[in-house]
Amino acid sequence: MKASQFFSRMLFAVVVLTALTSPATSVGQSNNSAPNTLTKKEIRDGWKLLFDGKTMKGWRGANKDKFPDSGWAVEEGTLTILPRGKGGDIVTDSMYSNFELTFEFKAPLNANSGVKYFVLEDTYVKGAALGLEYQTHDTGKRPLDDNDKHSVGCLYELLQAKNRTLNPPGEWNTARIVSYGINVQHWLNAKKILEYERGGKEFREAVAKSKFKNYPYFGEALKGHILLQDHGNRTYFRNIKIRALY
């Protein structure tokens, strides 16, 4: 292993260990505060709300300069995809590099959606916003299929998540994405379900076998937007929070 790779992994381990031992990272799991709010400790630890529970502030349509006129709604403190509303994907105004992102999601059985990160607009395909996707799609299979890279918690199309414990359809689940340098972790309901290196051997081999194979350095951008995917199925999001990791 090269010295630079060793240093990167050691630094990532320190950052992640700090994140994992901080109570502020248990957003939606043990936090008894009201949804879409920050505790004083979370504020001190650098957390920021990406959804305030009342407005679409901080979001816009992907490849657009304003929020969609239809297809999305704020309902009882949730950012909601309306069925067949054709609102399209939405992205954060800001871009992120090293970060810890948490969010809660719930949806009916087989509602297809996801949260993407390191999203670039008009880069891989003109008019498209593409990036790495944390799947929220619950196919209804129990136990979850460990050979389906399109199911909940997986890195969509690329890498399989395992050891997943998912609540029944229509109940809230808590997701977490930790990204530092090239190292990324997916968490679901307080359990780590996937870890990989952007640009690593396994990652690039997966890209080469996927529908993203013709996009040079797909998923390896230094920074990108967070995206909520509108696939035409009702899905609810809340407690969307992020903090920068230095």
Side-chain angles (χ1 to χ4, degrees):
M1 182 185 297
K2 295 181 180 179
S4 59
Q5 291 178 316
F6 176 79
F7 177 76
S8 175
R9 292 184 181 182
M10 289 297 293
L11 186 58
F12 177 72
V14 172
V15 171
V16 171
L17 180 61
T18 301
L20 297 186
T21 55
S22 170
T25 63
S26 299
V27 178
Q29 298 159 19
S30 60
N31 187 350
N32 294 320
S33 60
N36 310 309
T37 61
L38 294 172
T39 65
K40 291 182 179 179
K41 177 165 178 42
E42 286 173 331
I43 294 172
R44 288 196 302 270
D45 289 342
W47 287 96
K48 295 182 179 180
L49 286 173
L50 290 183
F51 171 57
D52 62 13
K54 300 175 182 178
T55 70
M56 284 82 162
K57 183 179 179 181
W59 296 86
R60 59 177 174 79
N63 295 290
K64 296 177 177 144
D65 58 7
K66 66 175 185 176
F67 200 88
D69 294 326
S70 62
W72 292 83
V74 175
E75 299 180 342
E76 299 180 346
T78 69
L79 186 52
T80 305
I81 303 171
L82 301 179
R84 298 173 295 280
K86 299 181 179 180
D89 300 342
I90 59 173
V91 297
T92 54
D93 290 334
S94 300
M95 302 178 79
Y96 301 92
S97 180
N98 298 321
F99 63 86
E100 182 178 3
L101 171 71
T102 69
F103 58 94
E104 290 181 86
F105 66 94
K106 72 174 180 177
L109 181 65
N110 264 326
N112 191 0
S113 184
V115 175
K116 298 184 182 182
Y117 51 102
F118 288 107
V119 170
L120 301 179
E121 300 169 291
D122 287 325
T123 300
Y124 302 112
V125 178
K126 186 170 180 57
L130 299 177
L132 303 170
E133 180 179 353
Y134 182 113
Q135 268 279 12
T136 62
H137 183 192
D138 180 6
T139 63
K141 293 183 179 179
R142 299 292 188 277
L144 294 171
D145 186 354
D146 281 349
N147 293 300
D148 181 4
K149 298 183 181 69
H150 304 116
S151 60
V152 66
C154 293
L155 181 62
Y156 170 78
E157 181 80 2
L158 300 177
L159 297 173
Q160 181 69 50
K162 296 185 177 180
N163 302 316
R164 295 165 290 171
T165 301
L166 185 66
N167 294 326
E171 293 187 11
W172 287 106
N173 292 280
T174 301
R176 184 167 166 227
I177 301 167
V178 183
S179 177
Y180 191 85
I182 63 173
N183 300 85
V184 181
Q185 295 179 353
H186 284 191
W187 291 69
L188 176 65
N189 294 328
K191 184 184 295 184
K192 185 169 69 173
I193 58 174
L194 175 64
E195 185 168 4
Y196 70 95
E197 292 184 343
R198 293 191 303 130
K201 183 175 182 292
E202 180 186 23
F203 177 85
R204 288 187 173 176
E205 287 178 350
V207 171
K209 297 175 183 177
S210 76
K211 64 182 181 181
F212 307 118
K213 61 185 178 182
N214 295 323
Y215 307 151
Y217 302 105
F218 175 78
E220 298 183 40
L222 294 179
K223 62 180 180 179
H225 299 279
I226 307 297
L227 178 150
L228 301 185
Q229 183 185 56
D230 176 8
H231 234 307
N233 304 134
R234 182 179 290 276
T235 304
Y236 303 89
F237 297 97
R238 72 178 185 185
N239 282 333
I240 311 171
K241 306 180 181 185
I242 197 166
R243 69 167 174 170
L245 299 178
Y246 300 101

